[in-house]
Amino acid sequence: SWREPPHFRSPMGEALREQIAEKFGEGSLDLTAPPPPEPGERDLDDDFSNVLDRYLGSQMGSTDLYACPICYVEAERRCGDDGDDGGDGEYDPDRDGGAFDFSVDPMTVLGDLDGGKYHVAATFCFDRLTGVKRHLREAHGLDLSDLNGNDLFHLYCIRKTDGLLQRYLR
């Protein structure tokens, strides 16, 4: 229990409690309550969606993210798979709903790989098309010289008109 100044031997009186509550707010004597946020400090209860929205609005601007088509399709296949279905981990179109289903929100697909941390997604999402092409050559060993145009890559942009988000919203 709180003690009365100056020697802090006797219990704190009601008048001093009211004075402290008036100056510092109700609950200021409750040491078990979390401290109030400092002015301008981010609220710790913000969920990832709010933080991501602020990032997309301020940092990302008009740029987009390109996902590796191979990695994204595999990530979507694995999305929500907790491994207890008795499957062998191989692609099964009857079980998985078929290729290019795009029935799951792209941010959920990317975040589900590592519990919403997006570290795994960062290894195959790039802000430039050249990054995806380099990834396809180096990580997957593909020769892209036979590919005409960039239409395939634009399908795996997060926000473009015919990108992942738009196909999910249809």
Side-chain angles (χ1 to χ4, degrees), residues 38-99:
E38 295 292 323
E41 182 179 312
R42 193 184 107 221
D43 184 9
L44 296 178
D45 291 332
D46 273 351
D47 61 349
F48 177 77
S49 297
N50 291 335
V51 175
L52 179 66
D53 288 343
R54 280 197 304 271
Y55 169 75
L56 291 175
S58 65
Q59 299 292 323
M60 198 166 174
S62 62
T63 62
D64 205 342
L65 287 178
Y66 294 88
C68 166
I70 296 171
C71 295
Y72 185 84
V73 169
E74 177 62 15
E76 186 180 34
R77 186 188 70 79
R78 292 183 183 190
C79 185
D81 183 16
D82 53 11
D84 65 357
D85 60 358
D88 55 7
E90 293 296 317
Y91 175 71
D92 179 2
D94 295 328
R95 187 192 80 217
D96 295 327

Side-chain angles (χ1 to χ4, degrees), residues 69-146:
I70 296 171
C71 295
Y72 185 84
V73 169
E74 177 62 15
E76 186 180 34
R77 186 188 70 79
R78 292 183 183 190
C79 185
D81 183 16
D82 53 11
D84 65 357
D85 60 358
D88 55 7
E90 293 296 317
Y91 175 71
D92 179 2
D94 295 328
R95 187 192 80 217
D96 295 327
F100 307 111
D101 187 25
F102 304 107
S103 62
V104 181
D105 170 30
M107 296 309 292
T108 301
V109 170
L110 297 174
D112 193 60
L113 294 169
D114 58 3
K117 294 179 184 167
Y118 296 90
H119 296 296
V120 175
T123 64
F124 65 88
C125 290
F126 305 91
D127 60 347
R128 294 203 167 95
L129 194 53
T130 56
V132 176
K133 289 180 177 182
R134 183 176 54 249
H135 170 81
L136 285 166
R137 280 191 303 273
E138 294 173 2
H140 300 291
L142 295 179
D143 178 18
L144 303 177
S145 62
D146 293 334

